[in-house]
Amino acid sequence: MIDPSAPRPRPRSDPARLPDAPQALSGALSVLQGRMLLQVTPARVGYLLSQLDADRSGLVLCGKDALRKARKLREEGQFTGPLLVDPAAYEVRAASEEEPFPHVSEGFAFDDPLEVSLAEQRAVGVTAPMTPTGYIHAEDSEALKAAVQRVVALDDAEVVFAAPVDVGWLREEDSVRQLIAWLRLVKGPKTIMLGGQMDPLARHARAVDYLRRVIEEVPGAALLRTDLAAFGALATGAVFAAFGAGSRLRHIVAPGEKAKTSKGFSTSPHVLFAELMDFFLGRTLADRFAGAEAPVCGCAACEGLWALDAFASNEGERQARAAAHNVAVLMEWLRTLTAVAPGLTRQTWWHERCRAAVERYPLVNAQVRQPDAFKVPQQLKRWALAAPAAVASGTNGQVRAGHQRRS
């Protein structure tokens, strides 16, 4: 329900004007500025550490034993880079007006779950602690308001406010304006994480556009537990982002719901097909390229020795190699992104890269002689259509005809 008492957001900026420069992080948080972290379970950290870009990335540990793993990484010197622990309370309980930070641990019921979680994270050496926010259902203004007000009362700019919101918040203008207004009250970084089955940003026609607007208008906005949207967020001006190193860590499933998964998920790993900017099961790639030569990958992990059809099962080292391949490709993209000047140039780079990927689908399908072998994901289509405002508009403020036809 929309809260009529919510703070009023500032007037929407002129779409033809470039967004404000991203808020610079200060103190211990400054090390996170402009990075794309990898969100990963403790058990899979070893698969990707060797491919992580120390200057541009970092880790967000999530799930059981995340605190213990963080302490081990720090104490044994295995990892000295930016490190966050996501308490992921939103996986278990929804936020409410009475309990925006719900009890999910085995501690004493009278302990404050927010204070306990922040103290536990600091004790294991995280770069900054994240709030253990419950899942915020679509338009549950009272839960969002309670969480924001509690964090504001902390008056600690080095606490990262986790905002695990249902993607329904990005469905229409009123809810987006209210989300922006509440998030702007928080002094420190705000990490948006989107909830919804499979691909949340594909659920609503304007979700990508509204996400860009939230990032542009909320100082210190970050995007965590996501997929290729991590690059779109950084291009838009997010202070940092986190890409999920596993399909379930690229979105949130609301507590109480059973996650929907792709067929054959347990039989082969997910593999990033760089040309198409999407993940496919290794078994699927092997089947699609059964009658054609599969691309040989030249990423830092594959080194021209592995083709994309080599991950058809989970046997041997295939899971670890697929994970390393995925991270190596992501790091290559990240290095390219960060080499492009922030602002319009970076936004244009991302937009053109998405458009190029969309245009590759029919070419690859022709190569394997299967017209519908690979289908463009809805989210990629929407990023390809989401041209930067200054590109979509001419100098006189009129929308270019070409973009108008594509929209």
Side-chain angles (χ1 to χ4, degrees):
M1 183 176 67
I2 298 298
D3 182 3
S5 67
R8 297 181 65 184
R10 65 178 181 178
R12 179 73 194 275
S13 57
D14 181 352
R17 182 177 66 82
L18 288 178
D20 296 337
Q23 171 181 299
L25 300 177
S26 60
L29 289 170
S30 62
V31 71
L32 296 170
Q33 189 81 42
R35 291 183 182 247
M36 189 188 77
L37 314 177
L38 288 181
Q39 194 144 6
V40 62
T41 59
R44 295 180 67 85
V45 169
Y47 289 174
L48 51 83
L49 270 184
S50 64
Q51 298 300 327
L52 207 65
D53 189 311
D55 296 323
R56 298 170 179 84
S57 192
L59 294 175
V60 182
L61 298 181
C62 184
K64 185 180 179 182
D65 294 329
L67 286 168
R68 186 177 301 130
K69 184 65 174 182
R71 183 187 297 277
K72 183 177 180 181
L73 288 172
R74 290 304 203 208
E75 289 182 349
E76 297 182 2
Q78 296 171 287
F79 187 71
T80 58
L83 177 64
L84 301 178
V85 167
D86 179 2
Y90 51 76
E91 292 183 334
V92 183
R93 295 272 304 278
S96 66
E97 181 180 6
E98 297 75 23
E99 278 192 303
F101 307 106
H103 283 275
V104 296
S105 67
E106 299 177 356
F108 295 107
F110 53 79
D111 287 339
D112 183 336
L114 175 59
E115 292 183 358
V116 169
S117 180
L118 297 181
E120 288 177 337
Q121 292 175 61
R122 283 181 164 128
V124 300
V126 296
T127 302
M130 290 178 58
T131 63
T133 319
Y135 188 83
I136 302 175
H137 286 287
E139 299 184 357
D140 189 349
S141 298
E142 293 303 321
L144 177 60
K145 174 182 177 181
V148 166
Q149 289 181 332
R150 181 70 199 283
V151 174
V152 170
L154 290 176
D155 193 28
D156 188 341
E158 293 196 350
V159 166
V160 178
F161 174 50
V165 296
D166 189 275
V167 74
W169 280 94
L170 302 180
R171 182 172 51 216
E172 57 188 23
E173 178 77 15
D174 285 347
S175 56
V176 171
R177 291 177 68 249
Q178 186 167 177
L179 178 63
I180 291 170
W182 282 118
L183 292 180
R184 284 177 61 86
L185 295 180
V186 177
K187 183 183 297 185
K190 284 71 66 172
T191 60
I192 300 158
M193 293 177 275
L194 296 176
Q197 294 284 357
M198 303 296 281
D199 182 359
L201 284 172
R203 283 178 51 184
H204 304 300
R206 296 200 62 192
V208 165
D209 289 330
Y210 281 141
L211 175 63
R212 292 198 309 170
R213 179 176 167 185
V214 172
I215 292 169
E216 289 175 354
E217 298 194 15
V218 175
L223 183 65
L224 270 64
R225 196 164 178 150
T226 191
D227 46 23
L228 294 173
F231 291 94
L234 289 175
T236 302
V239 290
F240 63 93
F243 197 108
S247 57
R248 79 173 190 86
L249 294 180
R250 295 179 197 132
H251 65 119
I252 300 171
V253 175
E257 292 185 14
K258 184 178 180 180
K260 297 178 182 178
T261 60
S262 304
K263 292 181 179 179
F265 173 75
S266 62
T267 62
S268 62
H270 273 91
V271 180
L272 180 54
F273 193 164
E275 283 186 80
L276 303 185
M277 291 180 67
D278 197 16
F279 288 87
F280 299 91
L281 289 171
R283 178 75 262 169
T284 299
L285 291 172
D287 290 344
R288 297 292 186 271
F289 284 101
E293 186 176 353
V296 175
C297 182
C299 76
C302 295
E303 297 181 319
L305 301 176
W306 285 69
L308 288 184
D309 61 352
F311 303 98
S313 74
N314 286 325
E315 295 178 359
E317 298 180 348
R318 285 177 174 81
Q319 284 194 71
R321 286 189 174 275
H325 156 81
N326 294 340
V327 174
V329 173
L330 294 173
M331 293 299 106
E332 288 177 6
W333 292 356
L334 181 59
R335 284 187 281 271
T336 305
L337 172 72
T338 54
V340 176
L344 177 59
T345 305
R346 188 174 289 185
Q347 293 172 42
T348 303
W349 173 87
W350 171 246
H351 175 239
E352 291 178 349
R353 192 176 190 104
C354 292
R355 287 184 59 192
V358 170
E359 292 169 358
R360 285 293 300 169
Y361 275 78
L363 300 179
V364 174
N365 288 340
Q367 177 189 347
V368 299
R369 295 185 288 278
Q370 299 174 60
D372 297 317
F374 299 102
K375 298 180 180 180
V376 185
Q378 284 297 319
Q379 186 189 152
L380 182 60
K381 288 181 182 178
R382 287 171 182 163
W383 282 110
L385 291 172
V391 172
S393 301
T395 54
N396 59 359
Q398 295 180 342
V399 177
R400 290 178 180 172
H403 175 70
Q404 192 174 45
R405 286 194 296 271
R406 290 194 302 274
S407 299

